[in-house]
Amino acid sequence: MKTTFTFITLLLSVLMFGQTPMTIENLPDLSSARSAHAQIVTTANQFTVIGGHVNGFDMTKNAEIFNSSTKTWTTSTSCDFRDMSFVAKLNNGKYLIGGGCSSSLGVGQLATSEIFDPANNSFTPAATMNVARTNVCAATLKDGRVLVVGNWYNTADNAEVYDPVANTFTLTGACMVARSLPVIIPTNDGGAIVCGGLGIYGDAPSSYIFEKYNPVSNTFTELTHTLFAGETSWDIGCYLPTMTQQYQLPDGKYAILVYNTALTLARLISIDPATSQIQEITTQKPIPLADETNPDLMFGCARTLMIDQTRKLIHIIQQAANPAKTTEMILRLVTINLQTGSVNSSKMEGFDYSIASSNVSMLEDGRILFTGGNKYDNFTLSPKACIITPATYPELIEISPMSIENLPDLVSARTGQVRVITAPDKYTLIGGHVTGFKLTKNAEIYNATSKTWEIATATDNRDGSFVAKLTDGKYLIGGGCSSNSGVGQLATAEIFDPINNSFTATSNMKMARTNACATTLKDGRVLIVGNWYASADKAEIYDPVANTFTLTGGCLVERSNPIIIPTNDGGAIVFGGVGVYGALYPALTFEKYNPVTNTFSQLSQSLFDGESSLDVRNGLPTETEQLMLPNGKYVVLVYNSTYTSLRLITIDPVTGIIEPMQTKNPIPMTYTDDPGLTFYSNRSPMIDLTRNLIHLVQSANNTNSILRIVTINYLTGSVNSSRMSGFDFPVYSSNLSMLSDGRILFTGGNKSDNFTLSAKAFIITPAIYLETAVNNPLLKSVNVRWSNQDQSFLFNQEISRATLYNLTGKALLTVNNGNKLTANSLAKGIYIIKVKTLNSAESIGLKVIRP
């Protein structure tokens, strides 16, 4: 039964320009703290809250009407208590309100009903229902009558219909399922679809059935009991009785939030009132339930959707308990764009009441009204009222998906090797260890013409060795394990010449080392730091002219696998890594090498507002060039000490300034489709200098077969990810290299441990995302429309360049300097136009339709 919900628009438009953050406008407090009240919104500035219960779980007939002129709440009185009562908007603009608890503590039920007239804020008694009800819902049918379904208590399978002309309630035939808080969707044939809800007394429903009310026979029949390719167990419902209009989409269909019964997965479905067809609303990524930076923080969704008809957005309100403050809630607003399927979220902290029992309503201008709610339980409530303006998000369109090109297998399965990349099709793998954790001097050089790996031999074993590119284009390679099983260390070094693929021994280092790192300084010398074993505080300098190694003054911290960033004054910044013998992370000390005094001194001991417990290191010894950004700064990946969040920092080689890199969304660690699946990143960012992108390659915690590439746009801060399955080895033990054309080379790696290795080699082309929003105000006025007469896309201003792409990312047409892009015989469909205006160096992406 699972189908695809199609995202289309009839007008050509720019999707969204620039991100604006969520804002909260606090209204005056309600006169009575309350929860479980009815809430009626008639305009964007006229709303009424009715009844509910107040502090002490006491009933109230009090109603409050917001006066937008005076910014005050004025009080009125309903005809009866309205705690967990239904509300339905009648065709004459008035509202039918009925049922609810009959006494304090949420006990009993009422059969009374009344009419609320928002024109004069009056309450008038209406007919009495045939069944007393609480936790009941209602919907206005096509002929103006109201179908009422559900009860918290027994007889919850009894439904009835209210006739506003005769002012009477009439029982229908029995429902197929006894429910409380169901969802009721009116259909165009005058009937309705009833689904979801709880069983009586809040139990699980007895059956997950969609049933159809037939207004002619006045009976209910089964419509379906399966969803999502036959799934029969899912959770649909409201936390409070909700008006049907709140679920209506711009195209007239209705949207409903669906959980699996384990509450680990949330999806959206749509119901078509014309055909009664039930479809899944597909999104670019799953609706998130876990916090992206803290996998232990789980969000539950309030079941009521907020639908912005104008902007074609669905908002889902989520809440989690703040583990640091037991009385504080963390709320999150997840926004889904119906036209593109994008999913974004904004977190808002500082609430001391739950949204699960608070009433929320969508205002017609796209804002969301919150009134009241539980603070801790039904006895301690909130009088708060506020209006949230959701964040807006730039849209990202994946115009080219990730692809994988398999290379021939390596001659020897290996890991821990040195890799040297001299061109997008020329790379050399040197040493490492092979299956059985045995050392090798073997090197393999890829021949792009014959598509084979050719064999060469290094002068010594190079497992866990450092590599540094010299200013003459050759490479210094040194250190490494001296025997099998990762034992011992070497003092030898050698020069690799990629022109003739030759290896030449150099003089020996002063210290035998493994898991050391190196970088070429501004004057051409090489600084080597680190060791897996003792004496890891000893650093040395290699002089390629004299072919000598010279010890420096001692480092402040003993490290292996450190990061070394050369600075423009001829020195370097050293930090991160692990302690000797793989001990816990050493002190977070950034130390500075001074080439004049040949000594190290402390530069900093903290990051991120004083945080001093952070994990910064390479997965394997890594060339410094791999960390360089297009602007000449260097970027490094940083974990917190509990491995629940990761961030990026930049280091400026000119000033030595270390600062966090801002991204629009946190770098994800969990997978939204499976909150138990956590991803960890290979420590070497892959930097695409041409496209200003940073790629982080991630491997899942509980399986080696799932990898993910997180792509960060360095200029805009956008964060996206693409997942790939089917791997039999983790990326943290494989060597990865960024090719100059933006692709990523994978070679070898552990299958399960250091004794069972992979011979795989392949190249990944990361997904390309077209950003349809920029912060440049000069681009925000760009508009485009299709002209059948001209067979062209017409712009509202002169542009310097426009390129038309299809949705696979293929460029179809380009035009320079003009106000139209002619596309004769272009097939109907959705396209992307990337536009650069005359007055801006930036480009903007427009999603357009050839109707």
Side-chain angles (χ1 to χ4, degrees):
M1 181 173 177
K2 181 175 178 180
T3 58
T4 301
F5 186 95
T6 304
F7 300 105
I8 63 171
T9 178
L10 299 178
L11 297 176
L12 303 172
S13 62
V14 179
L15 295 179
M16 284 188 183
F17 297 104
Q19 181 172 3
T20 60
M22 177 191 300
T23 61
I24 300 177
E25 174 193 355
N26 288 310
L27 301 180
D29 284 357
L30 303 170
S31 61
S32 298
R34 68 180 72 218
S35 187
H37 43 279
Q39 183 162 287
I40 292 174
V41 173
T42 49
T43 67
N45 55 16
Q46 182 181 358
F47 21 89
T48 303
V49 295
I50 302 166
H53 57 265
V54 295
N55 283 329
F57 215 150
D58 292 330
M59 310 295 294
T60 183
K61 296 182 181 180
N62 170 272
E64 302 190 43
I65 300 113
F66 184 68
N67 186 320
S68 60
S69 300
T70 61
K71 301 286 185 185
T72 58
W73 295 93
T74 58
T75 58
S76 183
T77 305
S78 59
C79 299
D80 210 338
F81 300 117
R82 295 302 171 208
D83 187 30
M84 299 299 288
S85 304
F86 72 78
V87 181
K89 185 177 183 180
L90 303 175
N91 289 345
N92 60 7
K94 299 178 183 180
Y95 293 82
L96 174 68
I97 308 172
C101 301
S102 58
S103 59
S104 297
L105 304 180
V107 174
Q109 66 259 52
L110 293 170
T112 61
S113 71
E114 56 193 289
I115 302 294
F116 171 67
D117 186 346
N120 54 23
N121 297 321
S122 65
F123 295 88
T124 305
T128 300
M129 293 185 288
N130 293 284
V131 177
R133 303 173 185 274
T134 186
N135 291 63
V136 56
C137 291
T140 302
L141 304 178
K142 190 174 184 181
D143 63 5
R145 297 180 304 152
V146 178
L147 176 64
V148 182
V149 182
N151 200 359
W152 188 257
Y153 298 90
N154 293 321
T155 67
D157 59 346
N158 287 330
E160 50 194 300
V161 171
Y162 174 71
D163 184 335
V165 177
N167 188 30
T168 57
F169 285 90
T170 305
L171 284 172
T172 70
C175 299
M176 305 191 71
V177 179
R179 316 173 191 256
S180 63
L181 294 174
V183 174
I184 311 173
I185 303 299
T187 52
N188 289 14
D189 60 6
I193 296 171
V194 180
C195 58
L198 301 171
I200 58 175
Y201 301 100
D203 290 339
S206 60
S207 181
Y208 297 93
I209 290 178
F210 285 74
E211 51 187 304
K212 181 74 164 33
Y213 170 66
N214 184 326
V216 177
S217 63
N218 202 31
T219 59
F220 291 84
T221 56
E222 180 178 317
L223 182 64
T224 184
H225 63 275
T226 62
L227 281 176
F228 312 119
E231 290 179 27
T232 57
S233 298
W234 24 257
D235 182 5
I236 302 175
C238 317
Y239 280 122
L240 287 172
T242 303
M243 282 195 288
T244 303
Q245 288 85 346
Q246 192 114 330
Y247 300 120
Q248 192 159 27
L249 295 168
D251 62 0
K253 296 178 182 179
Y254 293 84
I256 299 174
L257 187 67
V258 179
Y259 275 94
N260 61 359
T261 51
L263 302 183
T264 57
L265 175 65
R267 287 180 280 195
L268 288 168
I269 61 173
S270 69
I271 298 179
D272 189 334
T275 64
S276 296
Q277 188 175 13
I278 303 166
Q279 299 178 298
E280 182 178 4
I281 298 176
T282 56
T283 54
Q284 289 181 6
K285 59 183 180 181
I287 297 169
L289 295 177
D291 185 82
E292 290 179 308
T293 58
N294 182 2
D296 295 328
L297 189 62
M298 295 295 296
F299 286 87
C301 298
R303 307 308 173 86
T304 303
L305 304 176
M306 305 288 111
I307 299 176
D308 184 337
Q309 300 272 351
T310 302
R311 296 171 184 83
K312 298 181 173 61
L313 303 175
I314 296 177
H315 301 295
I316 299 171
I317 301 169
Q318 298 179 319
Q319 78 172 37
N322 189 340
K325 300 178 181 179
T326 57
T327 60
E328 182 181 88
M329 293 291 137
I330 299 175
L331 304 188
R332 183 168 70 174
L333 199 62
V334 176
T335 298
I336 298 155
N337 188 308
L338 282 166
Q339 298 177 92
T340 67
S342 67
V343 180
N344 289 281
S345 61
S346 295
K347 198 157 63 173
M348 40 186 178
E349 303 181 23
F351 283 75
D352 62 351
Y353 57 96
S354 164
I355 58 167
S357 61
S358 169
N359 263 325
V360 292
S361 295
M362 192 80 210
L363 305 181
E364 62 187 13
D365 59 7
R367 299 177 300 157
I368 298 172
L369 171 69
F370 285 65
T371 60
N374 293 4
K375 277 197 165 185
Y376 321 112
D377 51 37
N378 274 299
F379 295 87
T380 309
L381 309 178
S382 174
K384 296 293 184 184
C386 66
I387 294 177
I388 286 181
T389 301
T392 61
Y393 300 93
E395 291 297 327
L396 296 173
I397 301 170
E398 184 177 297
I399 62 172
S400 178
M402 182 194 310
S403 62
I404 300 177
E405 174 193 353
N406 288 309
L407 300 180
D409 283 359
L410 304 175
V411 176
S412 300
R414 68 180 70 218
T415 192
Q417 67 267 22
V418 173
R419 81 275 191 216
V420 172
I421 309 298
T422 52
D425 59 352
K426 186 175 183 184
Y427 12 93
T428 303
L429 310 179
I430 302 165
H433 60 266
V434 296
T435 297
F437 215 151
K438 296 179 179 179
L439 296 181
T440 182
K441 296 181 182 180
N442 169 279
E444 302 191 38
I445 301 147
Y446 185 66
N447 185 319
T449 303
S450 64
K451 296 195 179 299
T452 58
W453 293 94
E454 300 175 349
I455 301 301
T457 304
T459 63
D460 210 338
N461 298 311
R462 295 301 170 208
D463 186 28
S465 304
F466 68 78
V467 59
K469 186 177 182 180
L470 304 175
T471 53
D472 62 2
K474 299 176 182 179
Y475 293 82
L476 174 69
I477 305 170
C481 300
S482 59
S483 58
N484 293 333
S485 301
V487 175
Q489 66 260 51
L490 294 170
T492 61
E494 57 194 291
I495 301 293
F496 171 66
D497 187 345
I499 300 297
N500 54 24
N501 298 322
S502 65
F503 295 88
T504 305
T506 69
S507 59
N508 284 350
M509 294 185 289
K510 299 298 182 182
M511 296 287 305
R513 302 175 186 272
T514 186
N515 290 73
C517 288
T519 195
T520 301
L521 304 178
K522 192 173 184 181
D523 63 5
R525 298 181 303 153
V526 179
L527 174 65
I528 301 112
V529 181
N531 198 3
W532 188 257
Y533 297 90
S535 306
D537 60 342
K538 300 290 194 299
E540 52 193 297
I541 293 283
Y542 174 70
D543 186 333
V545 177
N547 188 27
T548 57
F549 288 89
T550 306
L551 285 173
T552 69
C555 298
L556 302 179
V557 177
E558 290 188 321
R559 315 172 192 261
S560 64
N561 281 334
I563 293 173
I564 312 173
I565 303 299
T567 52
N568 286 19
D569 61 5
I573 297 172
V574 179
F575 59 99
V578 295
V580 295
Y581 301 99
L584 293 176
Y585 185 72
L588 182 69
T589 299
F590 288 75
E591 48 188 306
K592 181 71 163 50
Y593 171 67
N594 185 323
V596 177
T597 62
N598 201 31
T599 59
F600 291 84
S601 59
Q602 181 175 303
L603 183 65
S604 175
Q605 282 191 307
S606 65
L607 282 174
F608 309 121
D609 297 323
E611 290 181 34
S612 58
S613 296
L614 295 165
D615 183 0
V616 187
R617 56 180 142 143
N618 296 304
L620 287 170
T622 302
E623 284 182 85
T624 303
E625 289 84 359
Q626 190 125 325
L627 307 176
M628 185 181 288
L629 293 168
N631 63 1
K633 296 181 181 179
Y634 294 84
V635 66
V636 178
L637 188 66
V638 179
Y639 277 94
N640 64 358
S641 57
T642 57
Y643 291 92
T644 55
S645 72
L646 67 158
R647 288 171 281 188
L648 293 169
I649 60 171
T650 61
I651 300 175
D652 190 331
V654 177
T655 64
I657 292 176
I658 305 163
E659 56 188 355
M661 177 184 289
Q662 300 299 321
T663 56
K664 288 180 178 175
N665 298 311
I667 298 170
M669 293 186 64
T670 58
Y671 181 58
T672 49
D673 206 11
D674 182 358
L677 196 62
T678 301
F679 285 88
Y680 298 98
S681 297
N682 180 71
R683 303 308 176 88
S684 299
M686 304 286 110
I687 300 172
D688 184 339
L689 293 170
T690 303
R691 298 174 181 84
N692 296 295
L693 302 176
I694 300 170
H695 302 296
L696 304 178
V697 181
Q698 296 183 322
S699 179
N701 60 331
N702 60 354
T703 174
N704 296 335
S705 64
I706 302 176
L707 304 186
R708 183 169 68 176
I709 294 183
V710 175
T711 298
I712 299 156
N713 188 306
Y714 173 65
L715 297 179
T716 68
S718 66
V719 180
N720 287 275
S721 62
S722 295
R723 197 178 111 164
M724 42 188 175
S725 301
F727 288 77
D728 60 355
F729 57 95
V731 295
Y732 58 76
S733 65
S734 169
N735 266 323
L736 294 85
S737 296
M738 193 79 206
L739 305 180
S740 59
D741 59 7
R743 299 176 300 155
I744 300 174
L745 172 68
F746 286 63
T747 56
N750 294 4
K751 276 196 165 185
S752 53
D753 52 36
N754 274 296
F755 294 86
T756 308
L757 308 178
S758 175
K760 296 293 185 185
F762 53 92
I763 295 175
I764 286 185
T765 301
I768 298 173
Y769 303 91
L770 177 63
E771 305 213 21
T772 64
V774 293
N775 294 323
N776 190 332
L778 297 174
L779 292 174
K780 292 186 178 182
S781 60
V782 178
N783 206 339
V784 61
R785 64 180 179 86
W786 173 258
S787 169
N788 276 324
Q789 180 179 351
D790 295 323
Q791 290 290 290
S792 300
F793 290 104
L794 303 181
F795 300 94
N796 65 337
Q797 58 184 274
E798 291 288 310
I799 52 95
S800 64
R801 185 178 179 87
T803 301
L804 179 71
Y805 296 86
N806 63 20
L807 290 184
T808 67
K810 181 180 179 181
L812 304 178
L813 296 166
T814 297
V815 64
N816 295 311
N817 300 320
N819 63 358
K820 71 178 181 179
L821 190 155
T822 301
N824 292 318
S825 304
L826 184 67
K828 295 179 181 180
I830 301 173
Y831 296 89
I832 305 297
I833 298 181
K834 191 172 182 180
V835 181
K836 182 182 289 186
T837 64
L838 295 175
N839 50 15
S840 174
E842 295 180 78
S843 298
I844 189 169
L846 309 177
K847 184 180 179 183
V848 297
I849 289 180
R850 159 63 169 94

